[in-house]
Amino acid sequence: MNKSKADFFPLRPQPGQRGRMRLSAKLRSIQLIITLSFTTVAVLVAVIVGFMLYNKFAKTAEENANLNMQQIIEQVNYNLELYVKGMGNIFDTAEKQITTSASIDSPLLNERMDTLMSSREDLVSVAVFTPQGQYVVGTPGQQMRLNTQLQSQSWFTSAQKSPDISYSAPHIQNLFKGKYTWVVSISKMIQYKQDGELKSGILLIDFNFRTIDQLSRQVKLGKRGYAYILDPLGNIVYHPQQQLIYAGLKYENVEPVLEYAYRSYLDESTGEKRFITVRTVEETGWKIVGVAYYDEIVTTKRDLNQFLIWFLAVVILCVIAVSVFLSWLIAGPIRKLERTVKLVGEGDLNTPINVSGAYEVEQLSRRFNLMLQRIRQLMDQIIYEQETKRKGELEVLQSQINPHFLYNTLNSVVRLAERGKNDEVITMIQSLSKFFRISLSKGNNIITVQEELDHIRHYLVIQSFRFKNKFRFEIKAQDEVLQLQTIKLILQPIVENALYHGIEMSPDEGLVLITAELQQDLIVIKVSDNGIGMSKEILNTLLSGGVKSGKTGGGSGVGVRNVNERISLYYGREFGLTFESELEEGTIVTIVFPALSSSPVEKGGEES
Amino acid sequence: MKITRILLTVLMCALVWLSVTSCFFNSSPVYINTKNTRNIHMIVKMNKGDYWNTVKLGAEAAAKEFNVKLTFKAPDSESMIDEQVAMVEDSISQHADAIILAASSYMGLAQVVDQAAYSKIPVVSVDAEVGSAKVRAYVGSNGYEAGQKSAERLITLLNGTGEIGILNFTSASLNEQQVSGSIDYGARDADEREKGFLNYAARYPNIDVVQISYTSSNTTEAEALTRQMLENHPGLRGIATLNETASQGAGKVIQSQGLDNIIKMVAFDSSPSMLELLQNGTVQATVIQNPFSNGYLAVKYAVEAVQGMEVPERVDTGTKLIDLDNMLYPENQKLLFPFVR
């Protein structure tokens, strides 16, 4: 099928080429381009916007969380400072009572100490020691243990070293019988009176962790976050998992904490991101350290993250859907149009193109439809014209050897010969031979005007014998015209008509006048006669083929209409025959066609 | 053509999805998953004594941290092996997620541990090992080493000569119904400590271990045994006790009889009363373990085992010899006195 089509239409793009182009062509399709570019741009924008929003929000969330944590720690720090101050106050009170007391072992002081002890739940013990480590006085009812090694304990040594109140690291209270408890000791060298003598001694007050624990326990930094307290040396004073740390099961990275009094930073030493906030309690130099887990702080961040991902996913899906739809909307009609045009291209000119869609595409299809109609019209016309041309040429071919004419003429020659008119026979035969030579003219369709005029002259000579000198004829031609071109056998049917229909019926002597002249690059040949003429009706039907003039008599068989059509097909619609006729007066036939020089004579061969 | 287009679209979506998500998600470190509450049963040797309290404290700390519902069970005495077996069986029938066991008898609980393993319940043994290959992890101290430390110190205190008595706990010889078998029915930790002690003492020809008594972890019984030992061996110069109750019993007797300066004693574990005796000079040294760590780590590894994580087969939490000189070192304070609120 394809092969035969290819044979018929070698210049048309063949289907074989399409396979090669398929992939790249697909990549260049409008739909894909629109979809891809639209999607890319939209996704890019969405991602960038999402990312920026995310960053912005995340940063804000992080900052807020950080700030929040700092505030919490600040609050704890404040409470702790208050508590430490409270401890200091208690210490001062105790000191004042001891120094102002007349004697260290007075019952009044003992009572006061008892009151002090019972006033606070977090007080473990109060005691005064001599600088040598001897027990002087203390909370009533407490008994010293043996081997306390108190001289080497930090509260004892630091009280001897510095005149200020000193706070110890957490340690075990091993001085008095009873429970071993973890305490923080406050100690200071003070003056007291014993037996009227002013002595110096070390006042020790032990606090347990009840209040510190309460203060720190309030700290809620997310689900896992916590706060712990360090002393200036890096000992852990309080930690929610103190025992775990003491047992060595957990570690706290305290080195970066110790370097700063006031700081917030991100710690990754445990492999987990943690926010660390450090504040320092003024009095003791204790550092309260808040630890919050980054991934908990930034739950908002994660929520946001999740939301953004879903949002982006939905947006992207929507964008893809929309862009696919949009591109389909645009490319669909175009593709339909393309398919239809392909059908047309393959030869089916009757394919209707009814593509609906975008305005432009509709217009395009409408215009294309119009064009197609026009093409169809032109095609029909061409087909019609070709057919007519061929028919006309066939008729001309037939007329070249018209047996009827030949037979009549030969009859006339026989008659002349019988009468012994030898000269006339010779003239007749000569004319006949020349007539046929020009008729055939080597098969050329195009001859010179000279030849055409010669041809009609011979015809008229022959006919004048037949009509027994019933008419005269005259041929006038300008010299310029003679070498110009004409299609052959255009005069003979006209002259024949003039003779058979005009002059033969006329009682008067006929006259056939043929003139050929050049008028503004046009050859104008006029054939006039003084025959009976034609009525308007006949005149009108003459060219439309209503009257087949050749049939009526011994005509050549090539009609006037044939001449007209041949001229207009060959030279153009505007050229051809015009008739002027008046009854009883005669007829003038004018032939007009462009003047072409005879040099490209060979063109005639093409046409036949 | 249509299918290819759909495929392409899907592929594109997937790519976009991947590129988007990769920007936001970071791989998170592996934690113990604390979302689900785990049901962990902890069965120890007995329900009294500071040592087991501290173990419990550690376990509770871990339970709180890892969202564990801890069921703590123990018989009244270390010698009540059958009760302990029954408790393990109970835990199995209650479908505990994991069982932590301090076995009072090395072989006595072997079978029930196998049974637990058969029910796909991981078993972590703490303090005392149990004779089963199905135990996922052992958390505790090295008893042999502890025994050697005790012996080393006691022999040093005695300057390498003298009679020594040992007060140990739950052993096969006490349980009459199991005497016949050669199977080791004693608690593994007790045996190990004793073995460590004796092996070390054997290096000193002048050291004579004259008596080894076994108490079923009952202070009164321990006191009686100590008195009996002192009566039997008037020349006794040193006593080594190998667990908490034995130490408390012996310490009390020595203190009440005023033998502080005559008899040297190396105790075991760090109950407050023990530390008091140490500070008073009644007891010269004590070998301590890490009961808090034991409890904590046992629960931690049990949770890990439940989650199918890799757990170490043996975790040695260490032993330490504490005497009057080093008992107030900050690091030792932390070990000796649990920070209880």
Side-chain angles (χ1 to χ4, degrees):
Chain A
M1 201 41 195
N2 278 345
K3 185 156 172 42
S4 61
K5 217 184 251 176
D7 288 344
F8 285 133
F9 311 108
L11 293 177
R12 203 167 278 161
Q14 295 305 315
Q17 289 172 305
R18 250 190 354 204
R20 245 192 294 136
M21 293 167 62
R22 185 159 282 168
L23 188 72
S24 67
K26 188 169 265 178
L27 284 176
R28 284 185 285 114
S29 79
I30 289 181
Q31 176 153 16
L32 197 71
I33 289 171
I34 292 177
T35 308
L36 275 184
S37 46
F38 198 72
T39 308
T40 313
V41 168
V43 165
L44 214 67
V45 167
V47 165
I48 288 172
V49 167
F51 199 72
M52 277 161 63
L53 275 182
Y54 171 76
N55 269 349
K56 177 75 189 135
F57 281 141
K59 211 175 161 197
T60 317
E62 206 170 294
E63 275 168 6
N64 279 347
N66 212 345
L67 209 66
N68 189 24
M69 174 178 168
Q70 289 186 18
Q71 279 169 351
I72 290 172
I73 297 301
E74 206 88 61
Q75 186 63 42
V76 176
N77 189 27
Y78 176 74
N79 290 341
L80 200 65
E81 247 169 41
L82 276 186
Y83 175 65
V84 169
K85 254 182 209 146
M87 292 194 333
N89 287 342
I90 288 170
F91 191 89
D92 289 342
T93 316
E95 184 189 347
K96 214 156 103 194
Q97 283 171 0
I98 291 167
T99 38
T100 53
S101 167
S103 172
I104 191 84
D105 41 16
S106 73
L108 185 67
L109 181 63
N110 226 335
E111 205 174 298
R112 277 183 183 164
M113 291 290 227
D114 210 22
T115 322
L116 188 69
M117 276 299 291
S118 53
S119 69
R120 295 281 297 235
E121 277 191 343
D122 52 352
L123 270 180
V124 176
S125 54
V126 180
V128 180
F129 296 90
T130 64
Q132 289 73 42
Q134 293 301 309
Y135 176 75
V136 182
V137 77
T139 321
Q142 60 191 8
Q143 275 185 294
M144 282 288 286
R145 292 181 203 268
L146 300 171
N147 306 319
T148 55
Q149 301 171 339
L150 65 88
Q151 288 97 330
S152 62
Q153 289 185 24
S154 68
W155 58 267
F156 192 87
T157 51
S158 57
Q160 279 184 322
K161 268 182 231 155
S162 130
D164 294 329
I165 289 181
S166 62
Y167 296 84
S168 80
H171 67 102
I172 280 292
Q173 221 292 20
N174 70 335
L175 304 176
F176 307 110
K177 288 192 175 162
K179 260 183 102 183
Y180 288 96
T181 38
W182 282 93
V183 294
V184 170
S185 300
I186 310 180
S187 56
K188 192 189 165 189
M189 193 71 90
I190 59 159
Q191 306 290 319
Y192 66 91
K193 290 187 197 113
Q194 193 175 27
D195 309 328
E197 227 179 300
L198 195 66
K199 290 183 179 171
S200 62
I202 294 168
L203 173 62
L204 166 76
I205 297 184
D206 292 327
F207 288 85
N208 65 19
F209 285 82
R210 187 187 295 268
T211 315
I212 294 177
D213 186 35
Q214 275 170 1
L215 287 178
S216 310
R217 211 186 277 272
Q218 292 168 0
V219 182
K220 286 274 174 286
L221 300 168
K223 215 172 169 187
R224 292 193 292 152
Y226 55 89
Y228 66 93
I229 301 168
L230 277 182
D231 76 359
L233 296 172
N235 297 310
I236 284 178
V237 174
Y238 172 84
H239 193 286
Q241 291 182 312
Q242 197 141 353
Q243 183 56 37
L244 291 181
I245 289 184
Y246 281 179
L249 297 169
K250 295 257 161 149
Y251 298 95
E252 207 61 70
N253 189 17
V254 297
E255 270 153 42
V257 172
L258 281 174
E259 289 168 27
Y260 298 90
Y262 185 96
R263 188 189 186 198
S264 287
Y265 66 101
L266 198 62
D267 174 74
E268 276 178 273
S269 60
T270 51
E272 244 189 301
K273 276 187 174 179
R274 312 190 306 170
F275 267 125
I276 312 282
T277 300
V278 184
R279 294 291 181 272
T280 302
V281 181
E282 269 176 50
E283 309 259 331
T284 53
W286 287 354
K287 291 187 164 67
I288 174 139
V289 184
V291 178
Y293 286 81
Y294 186 81
D295 57 344
E296 282 187 356
I297 280 194
V298 294
T299 39
T300 29
K301 201 162 156 180
R302 203 167 34 223
D303 289 348
L304 195 70
N305 196 342
Q306 240 159 25
F307 169 75
L308 269 181
I309 283 167
W310 283 113
F311 179 73
L312 275 184
V314 169
V315 163
I316 286 166
L317 281 180
C318 285
V319 161
I320 287 171
V322 165
S323 59
V324 165
F325 177 70
L326 208 71
S327 56
W328 174 80
L329 213 61
I330 294 172
I334 293 180
R335 207 163 30 228
K336 204 167 154 200
L337 193 65
E338 183 253 325
R339 270 201 293 272
T340 332
V341 172
K342 195 171 94 187
L343 276 182
V344 172
E346 276 164 6
D348 186 2
L349 286 177
N350 289 317
T351 320
I353 300 181
N354 293 315
V355 178
S356 58
Y359 174 76
E360 285 85 350
V361 175
E362 253 174 36
Q363 286 302 307
L364 191 63
S365 93
R366 199 165 296 153
R367 292 288 136 79
F368 195 81
N369 250 339
L370 284 177
M371 191 179 87
L372 211 58
Q373 247 172 30
R374 187 91 188 100
I375 287 175
R376 271 203 300 269
Q377 255 174 21
L378 287 172
M379 290 274 285
D380 288 349
Q381 197 177 328
I382 285 167
I383 289 166
Y384 171 75
E385 281 174 0
Q386 288 293 328
E387 267 174 12
T388 325
K389 210 168 170 182
R390 263 166 232 275
K391 213 157 70 188
E393 273 158 15
L394 203 65
E395 281 170 19
V396 170
L397 212 61
Q398 277 175 349
S399 73
Q400 284 169 353
I401 36 166
N402 191 329
H404 198 71
F405 173 70
L406 189 59
Y407 159 75
N408 282 343
T409 311
L410 286 178
N411 258 355
S412 302
V413 171
V414 168
R415 273 201 305 276
L416 286 175
E418 276 171 356
R419 278 183 245 155
K421 294 178 178 173
N422 279 351
D423 290 347
E424 282 155 353
V425 167
I426 287 164
T427 316
M428 189 93 156
I429 299 291
Q430 267 177 347
S431 291
L432 188 63
S433 109
K434 280 176 184 163
F435 175 82
F436 274 115
R437 200 176 67 198
I438 295 168
S439 273
L440 296 170
S441 61
K442 297 175 195 162
N444 283 343
N445 211 11
I446 304 293
I447 52 176
T448 59
V449 175
Q450 169 87 68
E451 282 169 320
E452 180 68 14
L453 289 177
D454 282 349
H455 179 254
I456 202 64
R457 182 176 292 118
H458 294 306
Y459 178 75
L460 281 168
V461 167
I462 293 164
Q463 289 295 29
S464 65
F465 282 110
R466 284 196 56 212
F467 282 87
K468 299 198 177 71
N469 296 322
K470 197 178 180 327
F471 67 89
R472 288 184 297 117
F473 67 90
E474 209 172 322
I475 297 172
K476 292 182 203 165
Q478 288 177 341
D479 284 347
E480 309 88 77
V481 173
L482 292 178
Q483 292 309 312
L484 297 175
Q485 278 187 335
T486 175
I487 34 177
K488 70 182 178 186
L489 302 184
I490 51 171
L491 289 173
Q492 189 257 335
I494 296 163
V495 171
E496 188 179 301
N497 259 7
L499 290 180
Y500 284 90
H501 300 294
I503 288 165
E504 196 174 22
M505 311 293 180
S506 169
D508 307 322
E509 193 198 29
L511 173 66
V512 176
L513 179 62
I514 298 170
T515 58
E517 53 191 21
L518 195 64
Q519 288 181 2
Q520 298 156 350
D521 288 342
L522 292 176
I523 297 168
V524 179
I525 301 174
K526 282 186 182 171
V527 179
S528 49
D529 66 77
N530 55 352
I532 55 167
M534 284 176 281
S535 66
K536 278 261 170 19
E537 293 78 47
I538 295 173
L539 207 60
N540 286 341
T541 56
L542 210 56
L543 288 178
S544 56
V547 177
K548 261 280 185 185
S549 51
K551 270 186 186 171
T552 43
S556 66
V558 180
V560 177
R561 195 168 61 95
N562 176 290
V563 172
N564 188 40
E565 276 168 359
R566 276 200 292 145
I567 289 171
S568 51
L569 283 176
Y570 192 80
Y571 295 108
R573 286 271 160 212
E574 62 267 44
F575 304 110
L577 305 185
T578 47
F579 299 89
E580 296 163 52
S581 184
E582 209 162 309
L583 283 171
E584 308 304 333
E585 285 295 324
T587 307
I588 301 168
V589 179
T590 314
I591 308 168
V592 182
F593 57 91
L596 296 171
S597 82
S598 60
S599 45
V601 159
E602 299 315 311
K603 203 181 172 191
E606 232 177 73
E607 287 295 307
S608 61
Chain B
M1 184 172 151
K2 202 115 198 167
I3 289 168
T4 12
R5 196 186 308 157
I6 290 167
L7 275 176
L8 269 172
T9 316
V10 167
L11 201 78
M12 207 164 69
C13 288
L15 272 175
V16 168
W17 186 258
L18 268 179
S19 58
V20 168
T21 49
S22 62
C23 298
F24 292 106
F25 281 131
N26 306 320
S27 56
S28 55
V30 182
Y31 294 123
I32 291 177
N33 180 10
T34 55
K35 264 179 199 148
N36 308 331
T37 307
R38 312 279 180 197
N39 232 329
I40 292 181
H41 288 211
M42 185 171 208
I43 299 156
V44 299
K45 289 185 185 174
M46 62 176 185
N47 55 14
K48 24 180 206 252
D50 292 303
Y51 183 84
W52 297 113
N53 261 336
T54 314
V55 170
K56 192 180 168 190
L57 276 178
E60 278 167 352
K64 200 176 152 201
E65 187 174 341
F66 303 122
N67 190 13
V68 167
K69 185 173 173 288
L70 188 74
T71 310
F72 190 84
K73 295 192 273 192
D76 290 334
S77 152
E78 285 193 32
S79 55
M80 297 166 87
I81 297 165
D82 294 337
E83 280 81 349
Q84 211 182 19
V85 170
M87 281 171 179
V88 178
E89 278 167 353
D90 261 11
S91 298
I92 294 170
S93 64
Q94 285 165 22
H95 304 291
D97 288 325
I99 294 174
I100 298 165
L101 178 67
S104 291
S105 162
Y106 183 70
M107 287 316 291
L109 280 112
Q111 211 178 347
V112 78
V113 167
D114 285 343
Q115 210 178 309
Y118 183 77
S119 311
K120 304 254 183 297
I121 300 174
V123 178
V124 172
S125 70
V126 65
D127 274 284
E129 282 177 275
V130 67
S132 166
K134 306 283 202 239
V135 172
R136 294 291 297 273
Y138 165 71
V139 181
S141 46
N142 186 335
Y144 189 85
E145 218 176 80
Q148 287 204 319
K149 276 182 186 166
S150 170
E152 184 189 0
R153 177 53 64 99
L154 190 58
I155 289 164
T156 317
L157 287 168
L158 295 174
N159 290 323
T161 45
E163 292 180 355
I164 292 177
I166 296 176
L167 199 56
N168 201 359
F169 59 113
T170 47
S171 173
S173 55
L174 267 180
N175 297 298
E176 273 144 46
Q177 74 255 46
Q178 286 146 356
V179 152
S180 55
S182 58
I183 314 164
D184 179 8
Y185 276 98
R188 184 58 155 209
D189 47 347
D191 293 354
E192 289 286 319
R193 290 172 201 171
E194 187 181 313
K195 211 187 283 172
F197 190 97
L198 292 177
N199 283 358
Y200 191 89
R203 299 182 209 166
Y204 295 86
N206 296 332
I207 291 293
D208 198 4
V209 178
V210 290
Q211 186 175 353
I212 304 176
S213 299
Y214 299 97
T215 160
S216 60
S217 295
N218 174 325
T219 320
T220 342
E221 192 193 349
E223 282 176 45
L225 285 169
T226 314
R227 275 192 215 101
Q228 184 198 338
M229 197 187 282
L230 289 170
E231 270 168 39
N232 290 353
H233 305 279
L236 201 70
R237 294 284 316 285
I239 291 182
T241 54
L242 297 182
N243 85 338
E244 191 184 272
T245 31
S247 304
Q248 282 170 347
K252 237 179 204 173
V253 171
I254 291 172
Q255 195 182 24
S256 60
Q257 297 193 359
L259 296 170
D260 300 23
N261 300 323
I262 302 162
I263 295 195
K264 305 286 181 202
M265 175 172 162
V266 175
F268 218 93
D269 290 334
S270 56
S271 60
S273 57
M274 201 64 245
L275 291 165
E276 209 143 328
L277 290 175
L278 187 66
Q279 201 178 346
N280 287 343
T282 312
V283 171
Q284 279 67 41
T286 181
V287 177
I288 61 156
Q289 307 177 72
N290 274 316
F292 188 89
S293 299
N294 288 355
Y296 178 87
L297 288 176
V299 171
K300 186 181 168 206
Y301 290 129
V303 174
E304 288 185 359
V306 170
Q307 276 182 23
M309 289 162 77
E310 198 70 37
V311 291
E313 211 171 294
R314 259 189 104 80
V315 182
D316 189 352
T317 50
T319 53
K320 206 162 190 177
L321 194 88
I322 298 291
D323 56 23
L324 190 57
D325 295 329
N326 67 11
M327 77 175 281
L328 287 182
Y329 290 1
E331 71 268 23
N332 291 340
Q333 281 187 16
K334 290 168 185 173
L335 289 179
L336 292 171
F337 308 98
F339 193 93
V340 190
R341 297 181 190 108

